[in-house]
Amino acid sequence: LIGTLLYIWYYAVAADAPLWVAIWVSAANLVANIIGLSILIGAKSRVALPSAFTDIYDRCPGFQDLPPGDFRMLMKTARRYTSDTEITLTKEHQRGEKLFFIVDGGVRVEKLGQSFDMPSQIFVGEVAYLLNRNSAATTILKAGSEVIEWEFNKLRAGSRKKSRFKLALEALISRDLAQKVCLAVEPASKRLPYSVRLSFD
């Protein structure tokens, strides 16, 4: 910016008459740079955080890794609500249409005839979204739970328009999947004897 200002000053005094074409071109570059820098600064400032989701950004792991501008972009198409009753979010082997993030409360997961509970602050429907396939399990939101939901088609539209949006969303989902893998335990009835399992290592 300082260099551009010096160029404008030079073009104004170097010749007998101001070099107006060079001055206007430099002024246009100056304005473009100011706009670009303002966008970059704004995207990294907490001012960009949407007021309805500021608490999510502060207390839910993973979201803090996103620049405020990317977080705002992600939450632009989100809907946040608290369930009064149990809600079935996904159904095993059926096509999913929405991605969910459980803010508070929890979900009950039913898969392959087994049932287990999952805590809050996890994504639901991420496998169906990423792989564009049927849901891997039936997931039931517990009554009184708070959830954020996105429609698949809006997320995919945003991903096609802006690569930053796609990267931000996939980074969040990848972190969530990694956390689930760390917490996963193979059912005791399914485990192989140690000597047999060792042969596969």
Side-chain angles (χ1 to χ4, degrees):
L1 297 180
I2 293 172
T4 303
L5 288 172
L6 290 174
Y7 271 119
I8 292 174
W9 171 81
Y10 174 78
Y11 293 142
V13 302
D16 294 336
L19 304 175
W20 289 111
V21 173
I23 289 174
W24 287 119
V25 170
S26 297
N29 285 332
L30 181 69
V31 172
N33 285 329
I34 291 174
I35 292 173
L37 286 171
S38 298
I39 292 173
L40 286 174
I41 293 172
K44 294 180 180 297
S45 169
R46 288 184 65 88
V47 175
L49 294 175
S51 57
F53 297 96
T54 302
D55 62 314
I56 301 296
Y57 188 81
D58 289 331
R59 68 188 175 96
C60 293
F63 287 108
Q64 302 96 327
D65 297 334
L66 300 178
D70 291 347
F71 179 79
R72 181 183 184 88
M73 196 183 309
L74 181 62
M75 293 301 172
K76 189 175 181 180
T77 59
R79 185 169 79 94
R80 182 178 183 179
Y81 59 91
T82 300
S83 64
D84 295 326
T85 59
E86 287 190 346
I87 300 175
T88 300
L89 302 180
T90 64
K91 291 185 178 181
E92 189 175 6
H93 305 312
Q94 292 189 19
R95 202 71 175 173
E97 296 181 352
K98 295 180 179 179
L99 176 70
F100 305 90
F101 181 79
I102 313 304
V103 180
D104 281 315
V107 293
R108 186 173 73 256
V109 180
E110 298 175 355
K111 183 176 181 179
L112 300 175
Q114 299 190 42
S115 177
F116 53 92
D117 291 336
M118 291 290 287
S120 61
Q121 301 193 3
I122 61 168
F123 281 98
V124 171
E126 73 282 2
V127 174
Y129 173 76
L130 284 179
L131 302 181
N132 194 25
R133 49 160 285 179
N134 292 341
S135 298
T138 297
T139 311
I140 301 170
L141 183 70
K142 296 179 180 180
S145 297
E146 186 178 9
V147 65
I148 300 173
E149 72 173 38
W150 297 264
E151 294 180 12
F152 282 179
N153 58 350
K154 291 183 179 179
L155 290 177
R156 292 190 174 112
S159 295
R160 286 191 297 269
K161 290 179 181 177
K162 296 182 180 180
S163 58
R164 285 180 62 93
F165 177 87
K166 181 179 180 180
L167 291 172
L169 178 59
E170 290 182 354
L172 276 175
I173 292 177
S174 296
R175 186 186 189 282
D176 179 77
L177 289 172
Q179 182 180 7
K180 288 175 180 173
V181 169
C182 288
L183 296 175
V185 177
E186 185 182 19
S189 60
K190 300 284 186 179
R191 292 177 185 165
L192 297 171
Y194 178 75
S195 59
V196 176
R197 287 189 289 123
L198 185 61
S199 66
F200 287 98
D201 292 341

